[in-house]
Amino acid sequence: YVVTCSSTAKLLHYNGAMKPWLLDSDTVQVPVCTMPKSLLEYKFNWVQEVDILGTTYTFVTCSEIWALFLADDLLYSEPANNTAEGAEEMEKLADAKTWANKINADREKRQKDREWREKQLAERRKKLAGGYYIGQTIQAAHDISVRGKVVVRKNCEGVVQGPSLNHPTERLNVLFKERRDKKTRSINVLPFEVKPGEDKDKDD
């Protein structure tokens, strides 16, 4: 089911078989609607742009549009009587609450995941000795020696792992791609011993 008029529509009538309140979390294919112009700033869980005859349409799930306009008195009201009609209404309310709660839970999880990623990125971007940051690609500025023996050749690439444990404000801990002594451990270097390389982990 695809709705292309919902971007400007004032009323959306769910008259198909896949009504939002009848769907569950296991439903894979759900009806999609063009994003309403009034909700362009809203961050939907699922968004897909599709080109149709030269016109680009932005689709979202119809169920999420429906959930955004659920009235609180609908979600928290109870049927007035115990008739068959009241039982059917009770079932509809239960389905509506379940679906609305799922959308809210998904939205909260997505927000927490985004905050966690932003926090991780901020941690990585913290400046270390010499202005470097965790995850940055660097190169050896010259041959690097440990106890008088050259272990890393000039221009060998490496990745900054973090600050040196013993001298966090003065040295960097770097994992180089190749060590002449065949060891795979990271080593501590002074900022002048390395230079910025091609940062392959840079965000687009």
Side-chain angles (χ1 to χ4, degrees):
Y1 300 89
V2 178
V3 181
T4 58
C5 64
S6 51
S7 60
T8 57
K10 301 298 183 182
L11 177 67
L12 189 59
H13 180 207
Y14 296 91
N15 61 353
M18 299 185 70
K19 294 178 173 60
W21 52 89
L22 298 180
L23 304 177
D24 56 38
S25 59
D26 295 325
T27 304
V28 177
Q29 295 181 330
V30 297
V32 295
C33 296
T34 49
M35 182 186 296
K37 292 182 178 179
S38 60
L39 298 174
L40 293 179
E41 299 300 321
Y42 179 77
K43 294 182 179 179
F44 286 88
N45 287 324
W46 180 88
V47 179
Q48 180 69 54
E49 290 187 347
V50 178
D51 183 81
I52 302 177
L53 298 177
T55 301
T56 300
Y57 292 85
T58 302
F59 287 96
V60 298
T61 56
C62 300
S63 57
E64 191 163 6
I65 297 177
W66 168 79
L68 290 173
F69 291 94
L70 279 176
D72 289 341
D73 58 350
L74 169 64
L75 288 179
Y76 298 109
S77 61
E78 299 294 342
N81 54 60
N82 296 322
T83 63
E85 182 179 347
E88 182 179 354
E89 187 66 20
M90 176 76 80
E91 185 177 355
K92 288 182 179 179
L93 286 172
D95 289 338
K97 292 176 183 179
T98 298
W99 185 255
N101 288 336
K102 177 185 180 303
I103 289 178
N104 288 333
D106 290 344
R107 186 183 302 124
E108 291 175 2
K109 181 179 184 301
R110 193 171 74 254
Q111 175 65 23
K112 289 181 180 179
D113 289 344
R114 182 165 52 248
E115 291 175 354
W116 181 85
R117 289 194 299 271
E118 291 174 351
K119 182 178 179 181
Q120 291 297 308
L121 181 59
E123 286 293 325
R124 291 180 56 193
R125 295 299 182 182
K126 282 184 178 179
K127 297 298 183 181
L128 305 176
Y132 295 97
Y133 55 85
I134 296 175
Q136 183 175 0
T137 300
I138 53 84
Q139 292 180 331
H142 53 72
D143 290 350
I144 297 176
S145 300
V146 174
R147 296 185 177 88
K149 294 183 178 181
V150 175
V151 295
V152 176
R153 284 296 191 185
K154 180 180 179 180
N155 294 328
C156 179
E157 281 194 348
V159 178
V160 177
Q161 303 298 296
S164 165
L165 292 178
N166 295 328
H167 305 281
T169 62
E170 302 171 7
R171 295 175 179 267
L172 305 168
N173 184 264
V174 179
L175 180 62
F176 287 97
K177 283 187 174 181
E178 183 180 0
R179 288 179 51 162
R180 293 198 65 206
D181 57 4
K182 305 303 180 181
K183 293 182 179 179
T184 57
R185 290 164 43 186
S186 59
I187 62 176
N188 296 321
V189 299
L190 291 167
F192 70 82
E193 293 182 296
V194 295
K195 58 185 179 181
E198 182 181 350
D199 195 347
K200 299 177 182 178
D201 192 44
K202 186 178 292 183
D203 297 310
D204 293 330

